Amino acid sequence: MTIRRHLFALAAALAATAAMPLSASAQTVLKAADVHPAGYPNVVAIESLGKKLEAATNGRYKLQMFPGGVLGAEKEVVEQTQVGAIQIARISLGVLGPIVPDVNVFNMPFVFRNPAHMRMVIDGPIGDELLKKITDSPAKLVALGWMDSGSRSLYTKKAVRSIDDLKGQKIRMMGNPLFVDTMNAMGGNGISMGHTEVYAALQTGVVDGAENNPPTLFTSNQYTAGIKYYTQTHHLIIPEIFVMSKVTWDKMTPADQALVKKFSREAQMEQRALWDKSVADYTAKLKAAGIEWIEIDTKPFYDATAPVRAKYGAPYTDLIKRINDTK
Ligand code: BDP
């Protein structure tokens, strides 16, 4: 913890200077943050965006990736990006909900039929509109593109074979009241914290389980902290997003901004191919490590979360209809 804080302070201190060009011909370093480790599809796709930008600008821009959460949890990363200390943040859309409430439609339980449906929506006009809403909001972030995060299911120390088994289990959720409401509606006890804290929380018994996709469960090592079961609830299908600090964006020429936009869209597509492979690979690895996959009827979970969709979806009935109609 202390080391992480120290690193975080150091990175923040470096930030102010690193983002500033030394002279007209000097290089601007764009610091990018991700909680996932090197090699994770999202990290690779952003690094690739950086390489293309560096080549296309003859080295005027260079991207430096800080993976593995070294620049802090996503909440802090967003704050650092808003003030321009971090230039590019790849985060879950989940953590943007408290800052840009409009995005919560995408964060609602069972709002997408499956990950393929979610992809169609983020690739099309609704996805573009939501990026624009984020950029136009007072959040000081420019939304560059989307990524796939598959679906989130429950993983626990005690088996969840029916919705009743979830009663009273303390389950870690991402930092957004919508997710705590979702878990509570399903009968568990939702506890929010940052991704980097979950491993210790599982080990010390602060929580009995959590929920995420297979690549995250594996690469975070959480599956080694007493987790035995992975129950296929698929209750959340939340896209990832990558954003640039508005402070940085506003210093770029329109031509450079256009390059960033172009390479962002390419990163969105590149991540997807890597993602599909990583879900298959990590599912196999988790099963090989002895995690039991539990198939479960999702209907009771869908029904139980109806009040959450009613609460958060009420102002967006037209948008929800358009999402449902996307085929
Ligand atoms: C992962 C997302 C990551 C989140 C993490 C979480 O890729 O951005 O930080 O979930 O649960 O799936 O916090």
Side-chain angles (χ1 to χ4, degrees):
M1 199 62 195
T2 328
I3 294 176
R4 177 144 17 98
R5 246 190 232 134
H6 179 70
L7 271 176
F8 186 44
L10 181 72
L14 285 171
T17 47
M20 225 181 292
L22 300 175
S23 72
S25 63
Q27 191 167 58
T28 299
V29 175
L30 302 174
K31 287 202 311 303
D34 200 307
V35 293
H36 292 301
Y40 197 94
N42 310 3
V43 174
V44 173
I46 295 291
E47 283 170 340
S48 157
L49 180 165
K51 279 182 206 133
K52 289 180 193 168
L53 187 65
E54 184 175 350
T57 61
N58 295 319
R60 282 184 292 108
Y61 286 95
K62 185 182 172 67
L63 185 137
Q64 194 178 357
M65 172 57 73
F66 290 84
V70 291
L71 297 186
E74 293 195 342
K75 186 173 179 290
E76 284 91 65
V77 163
V78 169
E79 287 161 7
Q80 293 295 306
T81 309
Q82 290 178 297
V83 298
I86 290 172
Q87 284 74 53
I88 294 182
R90 198 296 308 159
I91 46 174
S92 167
L93 190 68
V95 300
L96 271 196
I99 303 169
V100 187
D102 280 338
V103 307
N104 268 339
V105 178
F106 276 36
N107 288 330
M108 296 194 308
F110 300 103
V111 71
F112 299 110
R113 291 185 291 275
N114 49 43
H117 178 212
M118 186 273 285
R119 285 178 179 189
M120 269 188 282
V121 174
I122 57 174
D123 287 350
I126 302 177
D128 288 344
E129 283 164 33
L130 216 62
L131 291 180
K132 189 168 174 335
K133 264 192 189 160
I134 297 166
T135 304
D136 293 346
S137 81
K140 294 195 185 312
L141 301 170
V142 175
L144 298 179
W146 300 104
M147 288 188 184
D148 197 341
S149 195
S151 67
R152 299 173 74 102
S153 283
L154 276 174
Y155 45 88
T156 48
K157 300 175 187 176
K158 277 186 278 166
V160 176
R161 298 188 192 276
S162 82
I163 193 165
D164 292 339
D165 294 338
L166 188 55
K167 270 222 167 64
Q169 293 213 34
K170 291 173 287 179
I171 306 292
R172 177 270 171 172
M173 304 300 286
M174 283 194 281
N176 179 336
L178 190 163
F179 301 136
V180 173
D181 285 355
T182 298
M183 183 44 62
N184 294 350
M186 300 195 305
N189 180 0
I191 298 177
S192 69
M193 67 183 73
H195 172 68
T196 46
E197 294 164 75
V198 186
Y199 180 85
L202 283 166
Q203 269 198 329
T204 55
V206 169
V207 293
D208 305 310
E211 43 84 61
N212 220 315
N213 51 51
T216 304
L217 172 56
F218 189 90
T219 58
S220 65
N221 266 331
Q222 288 169 30
Y223 75 103
T224 64
I227 295 301
K228 295 206 179 79
Y229 306 96
Y230 192 59
T231 303
Q232 301 296 289
T233 47
H234 305 293
H235 54 281
L236 291 170
I237 297 177
I238 307 173
E240 319 267 36
I241 189 158
F242 51 107
V243 295
M244 182 179 260
S245 173
K246 197 153 191 312
V247 179
T248 311
W249 181 259
D250 287 345
K251 285 185 195 147
M252 296 183 115
T253 63
D256 288 344
Q257 289 174 346
L259 286 174
V260 171
K261 278 262 159 99
K262 175 172 182 282
F263 299 142
S264 292
R265 183 73 182 188
E266 290 172 16
Q268 178 166 327
M269 297 305 156
E270 180 179 347
Q271 188 264 354
R272 180 163 311 173
L274 299 169
W275 178 255
D276 286 338
K277 189 177 176 315
S278 115
V279 172
D281 287 354
Y282 289 120
T283 297
K285 284 189 171 140
L286 287 164
K287 287 181 177 173
I291 304 295
E292 185 187 334
W293 243 240
I294 299 175
E295 298 300 329
I296 198 166
D297 178 13
T298 56
K299 174 98 175 22
F301 294 90
Y302 177 83
D303 292 346
T305 51
V308 181
R309 285 184 296 282
K311 175 177 168 187
Y312 291 91
Y316 303 102
T317 44
D318 288 351
L319 177 58
I320 293 167
K321 187 176 180 317
R322 288 175 62 213
I323 292 176
N324 287 337
D325 290 347
T326 304
K327 289 195 173 89

